[in-house]
Amino acid sequence: MAGVQLSGLALAVTRAGGLGSLPAAMLAPQSLQAEVAKLFADGRKPVNVNFFCHEPPAVDREREVRWVQSLQAYYDAFGLIAPAVGGPAARQPFSDSHADVIEPYAPPVVSFHFGLPRDALMRRVRSWGARILSSATTVAEARWLEEHGVDAIIAQGLEAGGHRGHFLSDDLSLQSGTFALLPQIVAAVKVPVIAAGGIADAHGVWAAMALGASAVQVGTAYLLCPEAETTAVHRAALQGPAASHTALTNVFSGRPARGIVNRAMRDLGPLSPHAPAFPLAANAIAPLRKHAEAMGSGDFTPMWAGQNTSGCREVPAGELTRELVRLI
Ligand SMILES: Cc1cc2nc3c(=O)[nH]c(=O)nc-3n(C[C@H](O)[C@H](O)[C@H](O)COP(=O)(O)O)c2cc1C
């Protein structure tokens, strides 16, 4: 879960018998190096390193300028100077420089969001024996991923927190909930299927396995764990009435992602036709987020969370992991 966790949460999950994941999408190479070194400090173990693999967007200066202008009233109200457009993107797609950092550690599992990287990078990841996973939000994407050689498919239902993993079509109406999507993907492919979205307790895990899942991927339920880096405003929202209202929004990054509805989502979207392409929308929001968070407000923070926040508890991640598999 990029932005809310580092190796600490991944290690806690792995030590409890799960497959902990390190999200690398928002880590600069030096930070990635440090986190991967921590993951494998005491030897090789079942952990996954996760990357985004979006196509970097063509720069559309005019659109970025208009986006900044549409936020001008907030900069003025906060006494901030509008940021210059054209800044670097905070989220980078998987590249050879990422592979250079992780290859010496040979992570046994590497997962991707938004499809798969190009063939040469896929071969490189395979060269150290890694198993490759990626998310599908439709049966068509699951078939595509199987044809392109993934070892398992994450069936990401619409309930899931964070970015939608779609890559064949931007049409959100093609996507469905986890328990509609999962059995259809299980029927369509031969590789193992991992259920994701809205699974927050042992009964949810059991139900997903009954529908043919070989494993489950849980995100939201871990957000309050002490090992997560979830911000104070995000933690507060998860523990209050706001947590019962999530929506898909593109105003924080340019791509639809599910988060707790806040002022930015209400005022600007939640889905805005004006947001610059992923991941460039983030740059203009960043100063507003920083300012609001310093005042204790989550008005401009992407507070990614799935529809089912009932499993969020302030318990160690190892305890939560063991509890999730209680009925298996
Ligand atoms: C805060 C947050 C950040 C996320 N970041 C990523 C990410 O960096 N990479 C990724 O593949 N999925 C990411 N996801 C999606 C999860 O992998 C997974 O699909 C989702 O959490 C499952 O649904 P749930 O949130 O209802 O448990 C994120 C989810 C959340 C809640």
Side-chain angles (χ1 to χ4, degrees):
M1 294 189 287
V4 301
Q5 63 148 123
L6 296 166
S7 54
L9 183 63
L11 281 171
V13 171
T14 289
R15 286 187 186 125
L19 176 69
S21 292
L22 173 71
M26 296 178 78
L27 296 180
Q30 270 176 342
S31 312
L32 177 60
Q33 168 70 54
E35 292 305 313
V36 179
K38 283 186 220 165
L39 273 188
F40 296 105
D42 50 358
R44 209 155 182 266
K45 54 177 85 67
V47 281
N48 166 42
V49 186
N50 169 260
F51 294 92
F52 286 178
C53 55
H54 54 284
E55 205 46 56
V59 176
D60 183 343
R61 235 188 122 73
E62 257 177 53
R63 191 169 179 163
E64 283 190 64
V65 168
R66 277 201 305 275
W67 184 237
V68 169
Q69 283 168 349
S70 70
L71 304 178
Q72 190 62 50
Y74 302 119
Y75 303 130
D76 292 345
F78 294 164
L80 299 171
I81 295 173
V85 301
R91 297 170 175 90
Q92 294 294 335
F94 184 61
S95 65
D96 274 310
S97 27
H98 291 112
D100 290 345
V101 173
I102 63 170
E103 188 166 10
Y105 301 94
V109 182
V110 175
S111 73
F112 296 104
H113 216 39
F114 315 139
L116 290 171
R118 57 191 163 77
D119 290 350
L121 278 171
M122 285 284 281
R123 281 197 297 277
R124 198 164 166 199
V125 174
R126 285 225 178 283
S127 70
W128 66 78
R131 302 290 174 94
I132 296 178
L133 319 178
S134 183
S135 303
T137 64
T138 60
V139 172
E141 287 176 347
R143 287 206 174 98
W144 187 97
L145 289 174
E146 184 176 49
E147 279 160 20
H148 288 76
V150 298
D151 296 289
I153 291 167
I154 301 156
Q156 193 196 32
L158 266 174
E159 300 93 324
H163 283 93
R164 306 297 306 143
H166 58 263
F167 55 93
L168 290 183
S169 169
D170 290 335
D171 183 353
L172 292 172
S173 72
L174 292 169
Q175 300 182 20
S176 47
T178 304
F179 283 7
L181 180 67
L182 170 65
Q184 296 189 71
I185 290 186
V186 168
V189 300
K190 293 196 175 60
V191 293
V193 180
I194 300 162
I199 299 168
D201 57 24
H203 290 281
V205 174
W206 184 87
M209 305 297 271
L211 283 176
S214 298
V216 300
Q217 184 187 64
V218 176
T220 298
Y222 285 95
L223 288 171
L224 292 182
C225 292
E227 297 91 341
E229 312 281 333
T230 316
T231 59
V233 292
H234 196 170
R235 283 178 189 268
L238 285 163
Q239 289 170 297
S244 60
H245 189 194
T246 66
L248 294 179
T249 185
N250 64 347
V251 304
F252 295 116
S253 71
R255 257 188 89 106
R258 184 174 295 284
I260 295 174
V261 174
N262 62 1
R263 182 178 173 194
M265 287 164 69
R266 265 191 301 269
D267 287 4
L268 304 166
L271 292 169
S272 168
H274 308 297
F278 181 85
L280 299 175
N283 295 359
I285 296 270
L288 301 174
R289 172 186 179 169
K290 194 170 166 205
H291 179 88
E293 282 186 8
M295 316 289 282
S297 158
D299 279 352
F300 294 90
T301 301
M303 297 188 286
W304 303 143
Q307 285 179 331
N308 188 357
T309 52
S310 66
C312 298
R313 287 182 298 134
E314 287 178 302
V315 295
E319 191 179 319
L320 177 58
T321 304
R322 283 186 291 272
E323 168 60 23
L324 283 166
V325 295
R326 183 170 54 87
L327 301 176
I328 301 303

